[in-house]
Amino acid sequence: MFRKEIKVLDCTIRDGGLINNYQFSEKFVKAVYAAICDSGVDIIEIGKKLVESDEYPRSKYGEWNYCEDDLIKRIVESYQGKFQPKIAVMFDIGRIDINGLKQKTDSPVDMIRTACYVKQIDKALDVVKRCKDKGYETTLNIMAISAAIETEVIEALEGVAKTPEVDYLYLVDSYGAFYSEQITHYINLYKNYMPIEKMGFHGHNNIQLAYANTQQCIIEGMNLLDTTINGMGRGAGNCNTELLLGFLRNPKYDVRPIYKVIQDEFVPLRKTMEWGFNDIYGISGLLNQHPRDGMKWRADKDKAENCHDFYDYCTKAVTGD
Amino acid sequence: MFRKEIKVLDCTIRDGGLINNYQFSEKFVKAVYAAICDSGVDIIEIGKKLVESDEYPRSKYGEWNYCEDDLIKRIVESYQGKFQPKIAVMFDIGRIDINGLKQKTDSPVDMIRTACYVKQIDKALDVVKRCKDKGYETTLNIMAISAAIETEVIEALEGVAKTPEVDYLYLVDSYGAFYSEQITHYINLYKNYMPIEKMGFHGHNNIQLAYANTQQCIIEGMNLLDTTINGMGRGAGNCNTELLLGFLRNPKYDVRPIYKVIQDEFVPLRKTMEWGFNDIYGISGLLNQHPRDGMKWRADKDKAENCHDFYDYCTKAVTGD
């Protein structure tokens, strides 16, 4: 598949940080950044930019949860590759300091991605506008769409349509529950409010469909796709950067630096962190459930592999009305 | 997805046997058979039916490589479930004793699947005819299509079109290299020679697309789909039975017995056998290569995880003309 407009956004550090509370070493993030530079990937999301709080104390969360400017500058200055990716960070509604956000001209950040649930749309659109006012490229990532009521999704999209400050609207499959025809269904719905050229996709791999669904988005005409190196991300993880680069026939991309950083940095990391498809996350995806129960189940070594028991646990919990 | 005509063929023992030379215990196969019965899966392929030879000595290969009638009878008689699946075995061209094959009326086997490469099509069609003469349901599984020259595929399909003894023609993605649009391309090609209602699909999971491609076949109208429990099969394995049953909304299927046998039998087995997606098989799939090099690479514990080195190895080997 070749289409010159397609852009890849690698969110390894941001989605991977959901597994380890953003406790990556600076050495690791620098290695990821260098690989992204050399591979030609267009954008790197380097973490969340939240404020410290009782919910997110520095005692528990690493620095990629706060992404202060000095930190980002150290990363960007650590490597000069053939390409220089844009830098993105993620905002969570209610956990940020929008007044403290610098003007784009004084910041190493290029793009701010605002994540929200359907019910938070008004607050999220306000945040997007203010990010745009300060000069940033913006995305709006409405999460957990597979579990949202469609009339409420439509109301949210009506709000998006009235907000030209949204540069990209993301279709987000937080539960990793969609298959290709559902992707097409939601894209067609979103298209009523936003042109496909201004849409992005973020998938999860619970039922091994993150890569396939990303391809389906490309087939439907979408040009901004999220990936993570080695698929590292919460629960079953995401669409693998290396698979998508291997699929895209654009000579600007080189998959080798990605395989190199996997071999050097991710293989050792896999001994201490778990991500990727397994039976438990497969059940979460099939049942269209938030991965939190699956993650809790996997954390208990005595029952981590007991997929039949987990299926029973999940389905018994939802019987009755 | 609900369509009452869809049938699932579980080939766990046959494709899984490619990993361990068919050395499954009878207890294990009986457990798989019982789970298949209880799940409502339509057909179980229980092994290959080859003759002993210097290439396939009994000293090296287990009994599921030969599938003698007494063995199959012991399995079938070991469990009476709600459903009784049809029994299939696989024939490899040049490694079988067609004259020694009993009439269907005297055999526990219902379906014989003949696997061949494009160049073996004439021999394969002869075998299919003779299986049909003896009363068996037949399939023809033309392997490694992603690496075959299309004019030769077309010649093979012309032969198939003239052979009404072929009950089902399989599209086989041996290298796990196809994505959805390629699946559609080949289905459209095959349709010129065989109606879609008489086609089946067998995928491999090298780039995490076995399940997605199986769904694409269903979307295109295909009704016979191969799966394996837990995705167990050569290299990156196959479309997971449990994922496909979870996707199909036919109440005749029950996914619970599949998760039960995974928990009880496959989880322990995973400690001694390896299958499923990993970086190495991902590279094989992206490069449209036979998984044999990847399997050899994985078997060497010193370099099994060195995906960058494997990428170099594979791509250096194919430079030049």
Side-chain angles (χ1 to χ4, degrees):
Chain A
M1 172 66 73
F2 176 80
R3 191 164 69 224
K4 70 178 181 346
E5 294 81 6
I6 292 173
K7 286 187 170 26
V8 177
L9 186 154
D10 184 282
C11 51
T12 304
I13 302 303
R14 203 272 307 155
D15 212 310
L18 294 170
I19 311 171
N20 72 347
N21 285 352
Y22 295 93
Q23 307 279 3
F24 297 110
S25 71
E26 196 163 318
K27 173 181 168 289
F28 177 82
V29 176
K30 283 178 176 167
V32 166
Y33 179 75
I36 292 298
C37 289
D38 286 341
S39 69
V41 163
D42 305 273
I43 307 162
I44 178 171
E45 188 179 51
I46 213 154
K48 289 196 179 184
K49 195 168 176 57
L50 307 188
V51 289
E52 199 182 347
S53 64
D54 290 347
E55 192 184 0
Y56 292 105
R58 292 240 178 209
S59 56
K60 197 174 162 198
Y61 287 83
E63 52 194 348
W64 316 100
N65 195 45
Y66 311 103
C67 278
E68 298 194 349
D69 287 355
D70 286 351
L71 177 70
I72 295 178
K73 279 179 192 157
R74 283 207 302 280
I75 300 302
V76 172
E77 287 164 9
S78 70
Y79 192 78
Q80 304 295 327
K82 273 190 293 183
F83 303 96
Q84 191 165 3
K86 285 186 186 176
I87 303 290
V89 292
M90 183 163 273
F91 267 12
D92 285 350
I93 294 303
R95 298 163 181 164
I96 53 174
D97 172 22
I98 189 77
N99 291 318
L101 181 69
K102 287 188 187 147
Q103 296 288 325
K104 161 72 197 94
T105 44
D106 301 323
S107 161
V109 173
D110 301 293
M111 173 185 273
I112 293 180
R113 309 213 300 168
T114 301
C116 72
Y117 290 103
V118 171
K119 289 181 193 296
Q120 299 170 312
I121 191 72
D122 292 333
K123 285 183 185 166
L125 288 172
D126 184 61
V127 168
V128 167
K129 284 178 198 166
R130 299 184 66 185
C131 291
K132 195 75 203 170
D133 288 345
K134 295 197 180 191
Y136 294 92
E137 198 164 10
T138 64
T139 81
L140 177 68
N141 299 29
I142 310 177
M143 299 182 289
I145 284 296
S146 66
I149 296 169
E150 198 152 313
T151 54
E152 296 188 1
V153 176
I154 289 169
E155 276 183 57
L157 294 173
E158 286 168 352
V160 174
K162 291 179 202 147
T163 312
E165 291 85 356
V166 178
D167 290 323
Y168 291 98
L169 170 66
Y170 263 81
L171 176 60
V172 184
D173 182 15
S174 306
Y175 295 180
F178 285 147
Y179 81 102
S180 62
E181 293 190 317
Q182 292 164 333
I183 293 291
T184 296
H185 169 83
Y186 277 93
I187 287 177
N188 286 337
L189 178 65
Y190 279 38
K191 268 187 194 168
N192 296 323
Y193 305 93
M194 189 67 124
I196 186 101
E197 296 76 19
K198 294 184 70 177
M199 277 186 224
F201 178 69
H202 179 89
H204 277 272
N205 203 35
N206 295 62
I207 48 174
Q208 301 187 356
L209 294 180
Y211 177 43
N213 287 341
T214 302
Q215 292 176 317
Q216 183 68 13
C217 288
I218 292 172
I219 291 166
E220 294 292 345
M222 205 185 276
N223 289 329
L224 180 60
L225 293 319
D226 280 15
T227 62
T228 63
I229 295 174
N230 219 211
M232 184 172 75
R234 183 166 63 182
N238 308 90
C239 172
N240 298 44
T241 305
E242 61 278 14
L243 292 181
L244 189 62
L245 296 191
F247 174 65
L248 296 173
R249 301 304 187 202
N250 190 332
K252 81 173 172 174
Y253 296 125
D254 183 3
V255 74
R256 282 163 208 268
I258 304 297
Y259 279 119
K260 189 76 170 75
V261 77
I262 292 172
Q263 179 170 319
D264 293 345
E265 301 289 342
F266 286 68
V267 170
L269 192 66
R270 288 198 300 238
K271 290 180 184 148
T272 60
M273 276 172 69
E274 175 185 278
W275 67 88
F277 173 81
N278 60 42
D279 301 319
I280 303 302
Y281 296 134
I283 291 167
S284 294
L286 285 177
L287 299 176
N288 189 22
Q289 293 187 351
H290 193 285
R292 85 170 66 79
D293 280 353
M295 291 173 78
K296 210 167 147 190
W297 196 274
R298 287 293 300 176
D300 181 341
K301 290 303 161 213
D302 289 339
K303 58 182 186 181
E305 302 288 1
N306 294 355
C307 53
H308 176 261
D309 299 347
F310 183 67
Y311 191 91
D312 256 7
Y313 168 80
C314 291
T315 50
K316 280 182 182 157
V318 297
T319 52
D321 55 7
Chain B
M1 172 66 76
F2 177 80
R3 191 163 71 224
K4 70 178 183 341
E5 294 80 6
I6 292 173
K7 285 187 171 27
V8 177
L9 186 154
D10 184 282
C11 51
T12 304
I13 303 302
R14 202 273 305 156
D15 212 310
L18 294 170
I19 311 170
N20 72 347
N21 286 354
Y22 296 94
Q23 307 279 4
F24 297 111
S25 71
E26 197 164 316
K27 172 181 168 291
F28 178 83
V29 176
K30 283 176 177 169
V32 167
Y33 179 75
I36 292 298
C37 290
D38 286 342
S39 69
V41 163
D42 305 273
I43 307 162
I44 177 171
E45 187 179 51
I46 213 152
K48 288 196 179 184
K49 196 169 175 58
L50 307 188
V51 289
E52 200 182 347
S53 64
D54 291 348
E55 191 183 1
Y56 292 106
R58 293 242 178 206
S59 57
K60 196 173 162 200
Y61 286 83
E63 51 194 350
W64 316 99
N65 196 44
Y66 311 103
C67 277
E68 297 195 348
D69 288 356
D70 286 351
L71 176 71
I72 295 178
K73 280 179 190 161
R74 284 207 302 280
I75 301 302
V76 173
E77 287 164 8
S78 70
Y79 192 78
Q80 305 295 326
K82 273 190 294 183
F83 303 95
Q84 192 166 3
K86 285 187 186 176
I87 303 291
V89 292
M90 182 162 274
F91 268 10
D92 284 350
I93 293 303
R95 296 162 182 165
I96 52 173
D97 172 23
I98 189 77
N99 291 317
L101 181 69
K102 286 187 188 149
Q103 295 288 324
K104 159 72 196 97
T105 45
D106 302 324
S107 161
V109 174
D110 300 293
M111 172 186 272
I112 294 178
R113 308 213 301 168
T114 301
C116 72
Y117 291 104
V118 171
K119 289 182 192 298
Q120 299 170 312
I121 191 72
D122 292 333
K123 283 181 185 167
L125 289 171
D126 184 60
V127 168
V128 168
K129 284 178 197 167
R130 299 185 66 185
C131 292
K132 195 75 199 170
D133 288 344
K134 294 196 180 191
Y136 294 92
E137 200 165 6
T138 64
T139 81
L140 177 69
N141 299 30
I142 309 177
M143 300 183 289
I145 285 296
S146 65
I149 297 168
E150 198 151 312
T151 54
E152 295 188 2
V153 176
I154 290 170
E155 275 183 58
L157 294 173
E158 286 168 349
V160 175
K162 291 179 201 147
T163 311
E165 292 85 356
V166 178
D167 291 322
Y168 291 97
L169 170 66
Y170 263 81
L171 176 60
V172 184
D173 183 14
S174 306
Y175 296 179
F178 285 146
Y179 81 102
S180 62
E181 292 191 318
Q182 292 164 332
I183 293 290
T184 296
H185 169 81
Y186 277 94
I187 287 177
N188 287 337
L189 178 65
Y190 279 39
K191 268 187 193 167
N192 296 322
Y193 305 94
M194 189 67 122
I196 185 104
E197 296 77 17
K198 294 184 70 178
M199 278 186 223
F201 177 68
H202 179 89
H204 277 272
N205 204 35
N206 296 61
I207 48 174
Q208 301 187 356
L209 293 179
Y211 178 42
N213 287 342
T214 302
Q215 292 176 317
Q216 183 69 12
C217 287
I218 292 172
I219 291 165
E220 294 291 345
M222 206 185 276
N223 290 328
L224 181 59
L225 294 319
D226 281 15
T227 62
T228 64
I229 295 174
N230 221 210
M232 183 172 77
R234 183 166 62 183
N238 308 90
C239 172
N240 297 44
T241 304
E242 62 279 14
L243 292 181
L244 189 62
L245 295 191
F247 174 67
L248 296 172
R249 301 303 187 201
N250 190 331
K252 80 173 172 173
Y253 296 125
D254 183 2
V255 74
R256 282 164 208 269
I258 304 296
Y259 279 119
K260 188 76 170 74
V261 77
I262 291 172
Q263 180 170 319
D264 294 344
E265 302 289 341
F266 285 69
V267 170
L269 192 66
R270 288 198 300 239
K271 291 180 184 149
T272 61
M273 275 172 71
E274 176 185 276
W275 66 87
F277 172 81
N278 60 43
D279 302 319
I280 302 300
Y281 296 134
I283 291 166
S284 295
L286 285 177
L287 299 176
N288 189 23
Q289 293 188 351
H290 192 286
R292 85 170 68 79
D293 281 353
M295 292 173 78
K296 211 168 146 188
W297 195 274
R298 288 293 300 175
D300 181 341
K301 291 302 160 211
D302 289 339
K303 58 183 186 181
E305 302 288 0
N306 294 354
C307 54
H308 176 261
D309 299 347
F310 184 66
Y311 191 91
D312 257 8
Y313 168 81
C314 291
T315 50
K316 280 183 182 156
V318 298
T319 52
D321 55 9

